[in-house]
């Protein structure tokens, strides 16, 4: 180590030559990660002069080499467009993150999910991390590689990244609209810490490994949102007796009205209802309606039937906030 | 006998008949580091490590010396900027640079770079490909000096 005292020219001033004028160089593309780790920087200068006999002489300097250290840098960014919706108790709910090596050497990164985070309504239960090994950006169960910390830490070339999927179970006790946060951290396996921290001789390519501005560790947030729905049924009856009144007597026609109301931010699939014909009554043929439209009694292609002395109607998937109304009639024996 | 004489002439003739200029050029590469001091100030030191991270500031020092017996005239030193290094500045303001591989020379302020769309713009320091110094007067016998420029590891 020497101290700088200023570099002194030999006292011989420099001759300014003709101005450069229009001399064009070519712009070269920049590499985001910097010069690759392990690259050798070699410097050699040349001198020319005229000897006393008037002959030109050219001499090279010695060559000095310097190896480029590995700079350890990484970024993590959520790859989901928004909260990932899941129902209470649902398993294998997928959050996506992009992990990118922003350093200048090939580096392995340790991946860790963090779920115990304050300020959210529940802690997702992270069950596995999966590397998008086929690179299609989508979680493929059974195809993409399940991550095991320390055994298959992804090794990323400089300026390249990989998508990581975090699979979680939503707690069964979570309720509609609650959010749960899950963060993913990625840390350089060689080392991390304060920028400038150096790991002698551990850099890719033979130099040192030096922690860069990202501290060689990065973290980003992902969110689950509970998307639950519940259904409530309300049944009512109106009676028309044979005499124009509303008394329940033999021969009276009872019109039943069943309303299924779905609430919550989710939706219910394969929603349907079935109602047995009450004792001492007889079903009035061809009286089933769904949303005001008649349905046939036969067990056929339409969404309802009368069979085994009960009526049944199917609605398919119904979103929260919607309701379905069914009516049918029976005659009091 | 004749062979002996020829050998004798060959040995003695250059030294006896001509004065020689014999210039050596030595290249050194330093890394500049700022070391905080106990009293709160910072000291800049030059080190010679085996390796450096991207972004490190490099100081290149070229030392020349005429160890011959005659002055060396028209002395110039040319240093192509090594791959992986972005030129910053020459400590000696009288240097010249080239941004096109040593074809044209001048001050950095006059250098232009052509954009892909055909327009031109002022060259940036990191686009310098070569730096050189041309000395006005011959290097006297025993004369020496240092030339220097700085750059950063890309």
């Amino acid at each position: 180590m020497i101290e700088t005292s200023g570099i002194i020219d030999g006292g011989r001033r420099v001759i300014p030559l003709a101005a450069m004028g229009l001399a064009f160089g070519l712009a070269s593309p920049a590499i985001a990660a910097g010069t690759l780790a392990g690259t050798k920087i070699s410097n050699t200068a040349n001198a020319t002069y005229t000897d006393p006999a008037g002959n030109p002489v050219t001499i090279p300097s010695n060559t000095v080499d310097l190896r480029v250290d590995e700079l350890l840098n990484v970024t993590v960014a959520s790859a989901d467009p928004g909260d990932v919706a899941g129902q209470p108790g649902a398993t294998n709910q997928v959050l996506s993150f992009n992990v990118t090596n922003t350093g200048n050497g090939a580096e392995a990164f340790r991946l860790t999910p963090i779920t115990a985070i304050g300020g959210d309504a529940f802690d997702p239960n992270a069950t596995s991390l999966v590397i998008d090994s086929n690179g299609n950006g989508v979680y493929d169960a059974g195809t993409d590689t399940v991550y095991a910390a320390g055994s298959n830490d992804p090794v990323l070339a400089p300026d390249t990244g990989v998508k990581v999927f975090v699979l979680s179970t939503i707690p069964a006790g979570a309720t509609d609209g609650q959010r749960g946060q899950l963060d993913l951290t990625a840390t350089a396996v060689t080392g991390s810490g304060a920028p400038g921290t150096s790991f002698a001789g551990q850099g890719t390519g033979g130099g040192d490994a030096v922690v860069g501005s990202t501290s060689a560790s990065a973290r980003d947030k992902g969110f689950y949102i509970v998307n639950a729905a519940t259904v409530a049924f309300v049944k009512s009856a109106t009676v028309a007796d044979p005499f124009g009144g509303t008394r329940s007597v033999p021969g009276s026609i009872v019109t039943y009205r069943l309303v299924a109301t779905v609430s919550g931010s989710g939706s219910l699939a394969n929603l349907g209802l079935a109602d047995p014909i009450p004792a001492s009554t007889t079903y009035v043929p061809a009286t089933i309606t769904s949303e005001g439209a008649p349905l046939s009694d036969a067990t056929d292609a339409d969404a309802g039937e009368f069979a085994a002395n009960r009526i049944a109607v199917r609605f398919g998937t119904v979103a929260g906030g919607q309701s379905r109304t069914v009516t049918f009639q029976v005659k009091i024996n | 006998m004749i062979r002996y004489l020829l050998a004798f002439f060959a040995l003695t003739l250059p030294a006896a008949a001509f004065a020689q200029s014999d210039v050596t050029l030595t290249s050194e590469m330093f890394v500049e580091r700022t070391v905080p001091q106990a009293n709160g100030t910072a000291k800049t030191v030059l080190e010679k490590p085996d390796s450096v991270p991207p972004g490190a500031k490099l100081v290149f020092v070229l030392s020349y010396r005429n160890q011959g017996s005659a002055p060396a005239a028209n002395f110039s030193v040319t240093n192509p900027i090594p791959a992986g290094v972005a030129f910053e500045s020459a400590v000696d303001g009288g240097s010249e640079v080239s941004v096109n591989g040593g074809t044209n020379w001048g001050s950095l302020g006059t250098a232009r770079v052509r954009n892909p769309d055909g327009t031109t713009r002022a060259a940036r320091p990191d686009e310098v490909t070569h730096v050189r110094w041309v000395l006005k007067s011959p290097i006297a016998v025993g004369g020496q000096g240092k030339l220097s420029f700085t750059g950063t590891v890309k």
Side-chain angles (χ1 to χ4, degrees), chain A residues 36-37 70-72 101 103-109 154-160 188 190 202-205:
Chain A
L36 286 183
E70 181 184 1
L71 209 50
L72 302 167
N101 179 2
N104 67 338
E107 180 66 27
F109 293 96
V155 177
L156 303 179
D159 267 346
T160 67
T190 300
Q202 293 184 47
T204 303

Side-chain angles (χ1 to χ4, degrees), chain A residues 47-192:
Chain A
T48 60
Y49 59 94
T50 309
D51 72 9
N55 300 314
V57 179
T58 299
I59 55 161
S61 73
N62 59 309
T63 298
V64 280
D65 296 331
L66 209 49
R67 196 184 297 276
V68 175
D69 288 335
E70 181 184 1
L71 209 50
L72 302 167
N73 273 322
V74 62
T75 62
V76 175
S78 169
D80 293 312
D83 292 1
V84 171
Q87 295 179 357
T91 59
N92 296 338
Q93 302 297 296
V94 180
L95 289 182
S96 306
F97 294 89
N98 286 320
V99 176
T100 305
N101 179 2
T102 52
N104 67 338
E107 180 66 27
F109 293 96
R110 180 69 43 84
L111 307 174
T112 312
I114 297 172
T115 57
I117 301 164
D120 60 352
F122 66 91
D123 289 341
N125 176 21
T127 48
S128 62
L129 269 60
V130 178
I131 307 294
D132 183 24
S133 47
N134 64 3
N136 67 352
V138 179
Y139 169 61
D140 298 307
T143 300
D144 287 334
T145 306
V146 175
Y147 171 75
S151 71
N152 64 349
D153 296 323
V155 177
L156 303 179
D159 267 346
T160 67
V162 70
K163 190 164 276 186
V164 176
F165 306 110
V166 184
L167 275 57
S168 303
T169 300
I170 309 290
T175 56
D176 187 46
Q178 285 188 327
R179 288 178 102 206
Q181 185 177 347
L182 184 152
D183 293 2
L184 181 73
T185 64
T187 304
V189 168
T190 300
S192 59

Side-chain angles (χ1 to χ4, degrees), chain B residues 25 75 138 153:
Chain B
L25 181 65
F75 185 77
V153 179

